Amino acid sequence: MPEGTGGSTLLVDEYYQSGDSRFLGELFASRSERKLKSFAETWYADQRDFARETLLSYIDDGCDRWNHRALVKSLFKQAEAASDDEAMAHFLVAFDRLVKHDIIQKWEYNWQTRERTSRYITVPDPTVPSRAAKSGNQYTSDRFSRRTRIYLCRRVFRYFRKIAFKDPERYGRVIRQTLSLYKDEHLEKPQQLIDSWSLMHVLYWGAPVIQRKAHGVRLAAGARLGDLKPFPFFPAAWQNAFHEILHLVLHAQSRTVRVWASTLLKRDYDQQIRGIEVQKIRTMLSSIHEEAQELGAEMLKHAEGLPNVTVSEWLELLNNNNLSILPVICELMMEHVHPERVTLEQCVDLAQARVAAVAELGLNWARSKPVRDEDTLRALLRLCNASVATVRSAAVEWIKSVLRQSTFLKSELVLDLADSAYAETRAAGLSLMAEFYPEDTSLWAALAESPYPDVRSWLVLHLKMLQKVLHLETVQGVWTSSLLAIHSGSKAKRVVIRQITERIIQNADSADSLLPLLGVMLRSVRPPERRNALAALARCAFESPGLQSAIERRLPELKLFAEVS
């Protein structure tokens, strides 16, 4: 039994009588089994909403607290005797969580082959006793034993089984309300589903891959959970219940139940899921549950009124985050929406989507739009920054051909491409710049401010013809950023070192400002860069002897000339 004295019985009574929200917390902490048992009849008979709500919440807690056995059994018997379907539904879900197993890996040694093999087996929860301890005529256990837990699971399902044979309509109504009570945390692990005696019977009673044994449900040899198909207990209760099953798909709290209900609809209600109005299906597509969205996408293929869906409504459907249904929506949109109904801005917005199917749809429609003015051209340039790489590459190639043929081409448009965040877009901009604006010095000078290494490297390769028209400070900034690049640009660095060397030899006045750049390379941790810098300094010294004093002054640690006595 856990440490602690438990809750106060006086506070339990006080909070209960006053309808205080602290009542349940104090009741959960209580360890007085005799007091709890005597309280059961009063609690169940109380007609207040407060009493009913706390009763159901207590059952939903799991019915497995220390010294609460008597209270749970008394409440259960009263609910069963009163044919309280609602309370029994909560007991069914709670009792399914009482039986617990763990999956462990068991190793075995084959002495003949001298090899170890392993297999996974289920073992009961070691914290739960197999049988209740008994002293004389009294049970002394503080919690339900394993045998009692199995008995409670069987008994609560027996209640619903009797209802099914007496009143199938009532059984169907009650059991569907019961299924909506299961939550994902109740069925997180595979063994939790197998341990749920009632749920396995309700959903898979006749499935050939399960075996019902005295200690619970087990999978047949060689079977997997993925082999389970809907085979509910009392199938007649699930006939003519299309809307009720659809409600489970939309609102059940457990993914297991939603998947089961969706599969049952596709199998047994194929005709009913065809021809439903689009507006009803839109509700399913906007659901927070993937199972409802996927079923909605399946129903959308055969929905009525698709040609009447507006473009804005289609675009709203494409905002869905479920990647598995977007291709279906795109396919239907292409079938029922003519590109003329979609504006260029909408096409470009679609092309910016992170989902390939949506982005490809936007690009294909954008290609059908004529380029009438500069504004249209600017809008199309946004395609070159699409999020999907394949769409972006295709858009770049198309935009290049459009720009080459356009009469609205301007240098700032090309500069926007060269300043893109994507390498292939920048490459297209630089190519167009060299093709259409080889002598626009102001445009080329703007590239010197680019933060992208590939642009600076490209500029370096074309810098020789621009040195005469660009200011030395601008050129020096390009050289500096290229030399200080640490992750790339080895080829550009060699070109920069050669350009600096030629500039120093041709213009000795620039030596004081440019020699420190060579000094940076001379101190590099990379041997090839040090060798290139040393060769450049030697070339400066021997081709222009007047630079020797400047080299010695700016780089005093360097000894290029031996002293002769």
Side-chain angles (χ1 to χ4, degrees), residues 180-227:
S180 65
L181 298 177
Y182 284 93
K183 298 180 180 179
D184 281 332
E185 56 262 33
H186 301 161
L187 303 167
E188 288 180 333
K189 301 177 181 178
Q191 63 267 31
Q192 288 178 300
L193 175 60
I194 298 298
D195 288 336
S196 300
W197 171 270
S198 297
L199 183 64
M200 288 295 292
H201 281 70
V202 171
L203 303 184
Y204 306 109
W205 175 79
V209 297
I210 65 171
Q211 298 175 343
R212 293 184 297 276
K213 299 184 178 181
H215 56 275
V217 174
R218 290 293 178 266
L219 290 175
R224 302 176 301 172
L225 283 178
D227 299 330

Short mmCIF file of all heavy atoms in Angstrom, two decimals, residues 180-227:
data_model
loop_
_atom_site.label_atom_id
_atom_site.label_comp_id
_atom_site.label_asym_id
_atom_site.label_seq_id
_atom_site.Cartn_x
_atom_site.Cartn_y
_atom_site.Cartn_z
N SER A 180 -17.55 5.83 -27.49
CA SER A 180 -17.07 7.21 -27.52
C SER A 180 -16.34 7.58 -26.24
O SER A 180 -15.69 8.64 -26.18
CB SER A 180 -18.25 8.17 -27.75
OG SER A 180 -19.15 8.13 -26.66
N LEU A 181 -16.42 6.73 -25.19
CA LEU A 181 -15.75 7.03 -23.92
C LEU A 181 -14.29 6.59 -23.92
O LEU A 181 -13.50 7.09 -23.10
CB LEU A 181 -16.48 6.33 -22.76
CG LEU A 181 -17.94 6.74 -22.51
CD1 LEU A 181 -18.54 5.91 -21.39
CD2 LEU A 181 -18.02 8.22 -22.18
N TYR A 182 -13.91 5.68 -24.79
CA TYR A 182 -12.50 5.25 -24.83
C TYR A 182 -11.63 6.40 -25.32
O TYR A 182 -12.01 7.15 -26.21
CB TYR A 182 -12.34 4.05 -25.77
CG TYR A 182 -12.83 2.74 -25.17
CD1 TYR A 182 -14.12 2.30 -25.39
CD2 TYR A 182 -11.99 1.96 -24.40
CE1 TYR A 182 -14.58 1.11 -24.85
CE2 TYR A 182 -12.43 0.76 -23.86
CZ TYR A 182 -13.73 0.34 -24.09
OH TYR A 182 -14.17 -0.83 -23.55
N LYS A 183 -10.45 6.51 -24.72
CA LYS A 183 -9.52 7.58 -25.08
C LYS A 183 -8.22 6.98 -25.60
O LYS A 183 -7.92 5.79 -25.37
CB LYS A 183 -9.23 8.47 -23.87
CG LYS A 183 -10.47 9.18 -23.32
CD LYS A 183 -10.10 10.05 -22.13
CE LYS A 183 -11.33 10.77 -21.58
NZ LYS A 183 -11.00 11.62 -20.41
N ASP A 184 -7.45 7.80 -26.28
CA ASP A 184 -6.19 7.31 -26.84
C ASP A 184 -5.24 6.79 -25.76
O ASP A 184 -4.52 5.81 -25.98
CB ASP A 184 -5.50 8.42 -27.65
CG ASP A 184 -6.12 8.60 -29.02
OD1 ASP A 184 -6.66 7.62 -29.56
OD2 ASP A 184 -6.08 9.72 -29.55
N GLU A 185 -5.23 7.45 -24.60
CA GLU A 185 -4.31 6.99 -23.55
C GLU A 185 -4.70 5.62 -23.00
O GLU A 185 -3.87 4.93 -22.39
CB GLU A 185 -4.24 8.00 -22.40
CG GLU A 185 -5.58 8.35 -21.78
CD GLU A 185 -6.15 9.63 -22.34
OE1 GLU A 185 -5.92 9.92 -23.54
OE2 GLU A 185 -6.82 10.35 -21.58
N HIS A 186 -5.96 5.20 -23.21
CA HIS A 186 -6.37 3.87 -22.78
C HIS A 186 -5.82 2.78 -23.70
O HIS A 186 -5.76 1.61 -23.28
CB HIS A 186 -7.91 3.76 -22.77
CG HIS A 186 -8.56 4.76 -21.87
ND1 HIS A 186 -9.91 5.09 -21.99
CD2 HIS A 186 -8.08 5.51 -20.85
CE1 HIS A 186 -10.21 6.00 -21.07
NE2 HIS A 186 -9.12 6.28 -20.37
N LEU A 187 -5.45 3.14 -24.92
CA LEU A 187 -5.05 2.15 -25.92
C LEU A 187 -3.75 2.55 -26.60
O LEU A 187 -3.57 2.36 -27.80
CB LEU A 187 -6.16 1.99 -26.97
CG LEU A 187 -7.54 1.61 -26.41
CD1 LEU A 187 -8.62 1.79 -27.48
CD2 LEU A 187 -7.54 0.17 -25.91
N GLU A 188 -2.82 3.09 -25.84
CA GLU A 188 -1.55 3.56 -26.42
C GLU A 188 -0.68 2.40 -26.88
O GLU A 188 0.03 2.50 -27.88
CB GLU A 188 -0.79 4.40 -25.39
CG GLU A 188 -1.38 5.77 -25.13
CD GLU A 188 -0.59 6.54 -24.11
OE1 GLU A 188 0.06 5.92 -23.25
OE2 GLU A 188 -0.62 7.78 -24.17
N LYS A 189 -0.69 1.28 -26.15
CA LYS A 189 0.19 0.16 -26.45
C LYS A 189 -0.63 -1.00 -27.03
O LYS A 189 -1.82 -1.15 -26.72
CB LYS A 189 0.92 -0.30 -25.19
CG LYS A 189 1.76 0.80 -24.55
CD LYS A 189 2.40 0.32 -23.26
CE LYS A 189 3.22 1.43 -22.61
NZ LYS A 189 3.82 1.00 -21.32
N PRO A 190 0.00 -1.86 -27.83
CA PRO A 190 -0.74 -2.99 -28.44
C PRO A 190 -1.38 -3.89 -27.39
O PRO A 190 -2.52 -4.34 -27.57
CB PRO A 190 0.33 -3.72 -29.24
CG PRO A 190 1.40 -2.71 -29.48
CD PRO A 190 1.39 -1.80 -28.32
N GLN A 191 -0.67 -4.16 -26.30
CA GLN A 191 -1.22 -5.06 -25.29
C GLN A 191 -2.43 -4.48 -24.58
O GLN A 191 -3.26 -5.22 -24.03
CB GLN A 191 -0.14 -5.44 -24.26
CG GLN A 191 0.41 -4.28 -23.45
CD GLN A 191 1.66 -3.69 -24.07
OE1 GLN A 191 1.81 -3.71 -25.28
NE2 GLN A 191 2.56 -3.19 -23.24
N GLN A 192 -2.57 -3.13 -24.59
CA GLN A 192 -3.75 -2.53 -23.97
C GLN A 192 -5.02 -2.88 -24.73
O GLN A 192 -6.08 -3.06 -24.13
CB GLN A 192 -3.57 -1.02 -23.87
CG GLN A 192 -2.54 -0.58 -22.83
CD GLN A 192 -2.36 0.92 -22.80
OE1 GLN A 192 -1.99 1.54 -23.81
NE2 GLN A 192 -2.61 1.53 -21.66
N LEU A 193 -4.93 -2.95 -26.04
CA LEU A 193 -6.09 -3.35 -26.84
C LEU A 193 -6.42 -4.81 -26.59
O LEU A 193 -7.60 -5.17 -26.39
CB LEU A 193 -5.81 -3.11 -28.33
CG LEU A 193 -6.89 -3.60 -29.30
CD1 LEU A 193 -8.22 -2.92 -29.02
CD2 LEU A 193 -6.46 -3.37 -30.75
N ILE A 194 -5.41 -5.68 -26.56
CA ILE A 194 -5.65 -7.10 -26.33
C ILE A 194 -6.22 -7.34 -24.93
O ILE A 194 -7.08 -8.20 -24.73
CB ILE A 194 -4.35 -7.89 -26.53
CG1 ILE A 194 -3.84 -7.74 -27.96
CG2 ILE A 194 -4.56 -9.37 -26.21
CD1 ILE A 194 -4.78 -8.26 -29.00
N ASP A 195 -5.77 -6.54 -23.96
CA ASP A 195 -6.25 -6.70 -22.59
C ASP A 195 -7.67 -6.18 -22.39
O ASP A 195 -8.31 -6.48 -21.37
CB ASP A 195 -5.32 -5.97 -21.61
CG ASP A 195 -3.98 -6.67 -21.46
OD1 ASP A 195 -3.93 -7.89 -21.71
OD2 ASP A 195 -2.99 -6.01 -21.10
N SER A 196 -8.18 -5.40 -23.34
CA SER A 196 -9.53 -4.83 -23.21
C SER A 196 -10.56 -5.88 -23.64
O SER A 196 -10.96 -5.96 -24.80
CB SER A 196 -9.64 -3.57 -24.07
OG SER A 196 -8.70 -2.59 -23.66
N TRP A 197 -10.98 -6.69 -22.68
CA TRP A 197 -11.88 -7.81 -22.96
C TRP A 197 -13.17 -7.35 -23.65
O TRP A 197 -13.57 -7.87 -24.68
CB TRP A 197 -12.19 -8.54 -21.67
CG TRP A 197 -13.25 -9.59 -21.77
CD1 TRP A 197 -14.58 -9.43 -21.59
CD2 TRP A 197 -13.05 -10.98 -22.08
NE1 TRP A 197 -15.25 -10.62 -21.77
CE2 TRP A 197 -14.33 -11.60 -22.07
CE3 TRP A 197 -11.93 -11.75 -22.36
CZ2 TRP A 197 -14.50 -12.95 -22.32
CZ3 TRP A 197 -12.11 -13.11 -22.61
CH2 TRP A 197 -13.37 -13.69 -22.60
N SER A 198 -13.82 -6.36 -23.08
CA SER A 198 -15.10 -5.91 -23.62
C SER A 198 -14.94 -5.26 -24.99
O SER A 198 -15.72 -5.52 -25.91
CB SER A 198 -15.77 -4.93 -22.66
OG SER A 198 -16.06 -5.55 -21.43
N LEU A 199 -13.93 -4.40 -25.13
CA LEU A 199 -13.73 -3.71 -26.41
C LEU A 199 -13.42 -4.69 -27.52
O LEU A 199 -13.93 -4.56 -28.64
CB LEU A 199 -12.59 -2.69 -26.27
CG LEU A 199 -12.31 -1.84 -27.51
CD1 LEU A 199 -13.52 -0.95 -27.84
CD2 LEU A 199 -11.07 -0.97 -27.32
N MET A 200 -12.59 -5.70 -27.23
CA MET A 200 -12.28 -6.70 -28.25
C MET A 200 -13.53 -7.46 -28.68
O MET A 200 -13.68 -7.80 -29.85
CB MET A 200 -11.22 -7.67 -27.72
CG MET A 200 -9.82 -7.07 -27.60
SD MET A 200 -9.11 -6.63 -29.20
CE MET A 200 -8.88 -8.24 -29.93
N HIS A 201 -14.45 -7.70 -27.76
CA HIS A 201 -15.68 -8.39 -28.12
C HIS A 201 -16.62 -7.47 -28.90
O HIS A 201 -17.25 -7.90 -29.87
CB HIS A 201 -16.38 -8.91 -26.87
CG HIS A 201 -15.79 -10.19 -26.35
ND1 HIS A 201 -14.55 -10.25 -25.77
CD2 HIS A 201 -16.27 -11.47 -26.34
CE1 HIS A 201 -14.28 -11.49 -25.41
NE2 HIS A 201 -15.31 -12.26 -25.75
N VAL A 202 -16.71 -6.23 -28.47
CA VAL A 202 -17.61 -5.29 -29.15
C VAL A 202 -17.18 -5.08 -30.59
O VAL A 202 -18.01 -5.03 -31.51
CB VAL A 202 -17.66 -3.96 -28.38
CG1 VAL A 202 -18.42 -2.91 -29.20
CG2 VAL A 202 -18.33 -4.15 -27.03
N LEU A 203 -15.87 -4.96 -30.83
CA LEU A 203 -15.37 -4.63 -32.16
C LEU A 203 -15.01 -5.85 -33.00
O LEU A 203 -15.23 -5.86 -34.22
CB LEU A 203 -14.14 -3.73 -32.04
CG LEU A 203 -14.28 -2.42 -31.27
CD1 LEU A 203 -12.99 -1.62 -31.35
CD2 LEU A 203 -15.44 -1.60 -31.80
N TYR A 204 -14.43 -6.89 -32.35
CA TYR A 204 -13.84 -8.01 -33.13
C TYR A 204 -14.31 -9.37 -32.62
O TYR A 204 -13.57 -10.34 -32.70
CB TYR A 204 -12.31 -7.93 -33.05
CG TYR A 204 -11.73 -6.61 -33.45
CD1 TYR A 204 -11.17 -5.76 -32.50
CD2 TYR A 204 -11.74 -6.19 -34.78
CE1 TYR A 204 -10.63 -4.53 -32.87
CE2 TYR A 204 -11.21 -4.97 -35.15
CZ TYR A 204 -10.65 -4.14 -34.18
OH TYR A 204 -10.12 -2.93 -34.54
N TRP A 205 -15.55 -9.45 -32.14
CA TRP A 205 -16.03 -10.68 -31.52
C TRP A 205 -15.86 -11.91 -32.43
O TRP A 205 -15.43 -12.96 -31.99
CB TRP A 205 -17.52 -10.51 -31.17
CG TRP A 205 -18.15 -11.75 -30.64
CD1 TRP A 205 -18.05 -12.27 -29.38
CD2 TRP A 205 -19.00 -12.64 -31.37
NE1 TRP A 205 -18.78 -13.43 -29.27
CE2 TRP A 205 -19.38 -13.68 -30.48
CE3 TRP A 205 -19.48 -12.66 -32.67
CZ2 TRP A 205 -20.20 -14.72 -30.87
CZ3 TRP A 205 -20.31 -13.71 -33.06
CH2 TRP A 205 -20.66 -14.71 -32.16
N GLY A 206 -16.18 -11.79 -33.72
CA GLY A 206 -16.11 -12.94 -34.61
C GLY A 206 -14.86 -13.00 -35.46
O GLY A 206 -14.79 -13.82 -36.40
N ALA A 207 -13.87 -12.16 -35.19
CA ALA A 207 -12.66 -12.14 -36.01
C ALA A 207 -11.91 -13.46 -35.86
O ALA A 207 -11.67 -13.93 -34.74
CB ALA A 207 -11.76 -10.98 -35.60
N PRO A 208 -11.51 -14.09 -36.97
CA PRO A 208 -10.85 -15.40 -36.87
C PRO A 208 -9.42 -15.32 -36.33
O PRO A 208 -8.86 -16.36 -35.99
CB PRO A 208 -10.85 -15.89 -38.33
CG PRO A 208 -10.93 -14.64 -39.16
CD PRO A 208 -11.74 -13.67 -38.37
N VAL A 209 -8.85 -14.13 -36.22
CA VAL A 209 -7.45 -14.02 -35.79
C VAL A 209 -7.33 -13.87 -34.28
O VAL A 209 -6.22 -13.73 -33.77
CB VAL A 209 -6.75 -12.82 -36.47
CG1 VAL A 209 -6.71 -13.03 -37.97
CG2 VAL A 209 -7.43 -11.51 -36.12
N ILE A 210 -8.46 -13.89 -33.55
CA ILE A 210 -8.37 -13.80 -32.09
C ILE A 210 -8.90 -15.09 -31.47
O ILE A 210 -9.71 -15.81 -32.05
CB ILE A 210 -9.15 -12.59 -31.53
CG1 ILE A 210 -10.66 -12.74 -31.77
CG2 ILE A 210 -8.63 -11.31 -32.10
CD1 ILE A 210 -11.48 -11.69 -31.05
N GLN A 211 -8.39 -15.38 -30.27
CA GLN A 211 -8.81 -16.55 -29.52
C GLN A 211 -9.24 -16.09 -28.13
O GLN A 211 -8.50 -15.37 -27.45
CB GLN A 211 -7.68 -17.57 -29.41
CG GLN A 211 -7.20 -18.11 -30.75
CD GLN A 211 -6.01 -19.03 -30.61
OE1 GLN A 211 -5.33 -19.03 -29.57
NE2 GLN A 211 -5.73 -19.80 -31.65
N ARG A 212 -10.41 -16.50 -27.70
CA ARG A 212 -10.91 -16.15 -26.37
C ARG A 212 -10.59 -17.29 -25.41
O ARG A 212 -11.06 -18.41 -25.58
CB ARG A 212 -12.42 -15.88 -26.42
CG ARG A 212 -12.78 -14.65 -27.22
CD ARG A 212 -14.27 -14.37 -27.15
NE ARG A 212 -15.06 -15.44 -27.74
CZ ARG A 212 -15.30 -15.54 -29.05
NH1 ARG A 212 -14.82 -14.62 -29.88
NH2 ARG A 212 -16.02 -16.53 -29.52
N LYS A 213 -9.79 -16.96 -24.41
CA LYS A 213 -9.40 -17.96 -23.42
C LYS A 213 -9.84 -17.51 -22.03
O LYS A 213 -10.31 -16.40 -21.85
CB LYS A 213 -7.88 -18.17 -23.46
CG LYS A 213 -7.38 -18.67 -24.81
CD LYS A 213 -5.90 -18.95 -24.78
CE LYS A 213 -5.41 -19.51 -26.13
NZ LYS A 213 -3.96 -19.79 -26.11
N ALA A 214 -9.62 -18.39 -21.05
CA ALA A 214 -10.10 -18.10 -19.70
C ALA A 214 -9.42 -16.86 -19.13
O ALA A 214 -10.05 -16.09 -18.40
CB ALA A 214 -9.85 -19.31 -18.80
N HIS A 215 -8.15 -16.65 -19.46
CA HIS A 215 -7.41 -15.52 -18.88
C HIS A 215 -7.47 -14.28 -19.76
O HIS A 215 -6.86 -13.28 -19.43
CB HIS A 215 -5.95 -15.91 -18.65
CG HIS A 215 -5.27 -16.40 -19.91
ND1 HIS A 215 -5.35 -17.70 -20.33
CD2 HIS A 215 -4.50 -15.75 -20.81
CE1 HIS A 215 -4.65 -17.84 -21.45
NE2 HIS A 215 -4.13 -16.68 -21.77
N GLY A 216 -8.23 -14.34 -20.89
CA GLY A 216 -8.37 -13.15 -21.72
C GLY A 216 -8.32 -13.46 -23.20
O GLY A 216 -8.34 -14.62 -23.63
N VAL A 217 -8.25 -12.40 -23.99
CA VAL A 217 -8.21 -12.52 -25.45
C VAL A 217 -6.75 -12.56 -25.90
O VAL A 217 -5.91 -11.81 -25.39
CB VAL A 217 -8.95 -11.34 -26.12
CG1 VAL A 217 -8.79 -11.39 -27.63
CG2 VAL A 217 -10.41 -11.37 -25.73
N ARG A 218 -6.46 -13.42 -26.87
CA ARG A 218 -5.12 -13.49 -27.43
C ARG A 218 -5.20 -13.62 -28.95
O ARG A 218 -6.19 -14.11 -29.49
CB ARG A 218 -4.35 -14.70 -26.87
CG ARG A 218 -3.99 -14.56 -25.40
CD ARG A 218 -2.99 -13.45 -25.18
NE ARG A 218 -2.67 -13.27 -23.77
CZ ARG A 218 -3.28 -12.40 -22.97
NH1 ARG A 218 -4.27 -11.67 -23.46
NH2 ARG A 218 -2.94 -12.28 -21.72
N LEU A 219 -4.16 -13.17 -29.63
CA LEU A 219 -4.09 -13.34 -31.08
C LEU A 219 -3.75 -14.78 -31.42
O LEU A 219 -2.98 -15.43 -30.70
CB LEU A 219 -3.03 -12.40 -31.67
CG LEU A 219 -3.34 -10.91 -31.65
CD1 LEU A 219 -2.13 -10.12 -32.17
CD2 LEU A 219 -4.56 -10.59 -32.50
N ALA A 220 -4.29 -15.25 -32.52
CA ALA A 220 -3.97 -16.60 -32.97
C ALA A 220 -2.51 -16.66 -33.41
O ALA A 220 -1.87 -15.64 -33.69
CB ALA A 220 -4.89 -16.98 -34.13
N ALA A 221 -1.97 -17.86 -33.46
CA ALA A 221 -0.57 -18.04 -33.82
C ALA A 221 -0.29 -17.46 -35.21
O ALA A 221 -1.01 -17.77 -36.17
CB ALA A 221 -0.21 -19.53 -33.78
N GLY A 222 0.73 -16.63 -35.29
CA GLY A 222 1.11 -16.03 -36.57
C GLY A 222 0.30 -14.81 -36.96
O GLY A 222 0.59 -14.19 -37.98
N ALA A 223 -0.72 -14.46 -36.19
CA ALA A 223 -1.57 -13.31 -36.52
C ALA A 223 -0.97 -12.02 -35.96
O ALA A 223 -0.18 -12.04 -35.02
CB ALA A 223 -2.98 -13.51 -35.98
N ARG A 224 -1.36 -10.89 -36.54
CA ARG A 224 -0.92 -9.58 -36.10
C ARG A 224 -2.14 -8.69 -35.87
O ARG A 224 -3.23 -8.97 -36.36
CB ARG A 224 -0.01 -8.94 -37.15
CG ARG A 224 1.24 -9.74 -37.49
CD ARG A 224 2.02 -9.07 -38.59
NE ARG A 224 1.21 -8.92 -39.79
CZ ARG A 224 1.58 -8.22 -40.86
NH1 ARG A 224 2.76 -7.61 -40.88
NH2 ARG A 224 0.78 -8.13 -41.91
N LEU A 225 -1.92 -7.61 -35.13
CA LEU A 225 -3.01 -6.68 -34.89
C LEU A 225 -3.52 -6.08 -36.20
O LEU A 225 -4.70 -5.76 -36.33
CB LEU A 225 -2.55 -5.56 -33.95
CG LEU A 225 -2.45 -5.91 -32.46
CD1 LEU A 225 -1.94 -4.72 -31.68
CD2 LEU A 225 -3.79 -6.35 -31.92
N GLY A 226 -2.61 -5.91 -37.16
CA GLY A 226 -3.02 -5.37 -38.45
C GLY A 226 -3.98 -6.26 -39.21
O GLY A 226 -4.63 -5.81 -40.17
N ASP A 227 -4.07 -7.54 -38.80
CA ASP A 227 -4.99 -8.47 -39.47
C ASP A 227 -6.43 -8.35 -38.96
O ASP A 227 -7.33 -8.97 -39.53
CB ASP A 227 -4.51 -9.91 -39.28
CG ASP A 227 -3.12 -10.14 -39.88
OD1 ASP A 227 -2.81 -9.46 -40.87
OD2 ASP A 227 -2.36 -10.98 -39.34
#
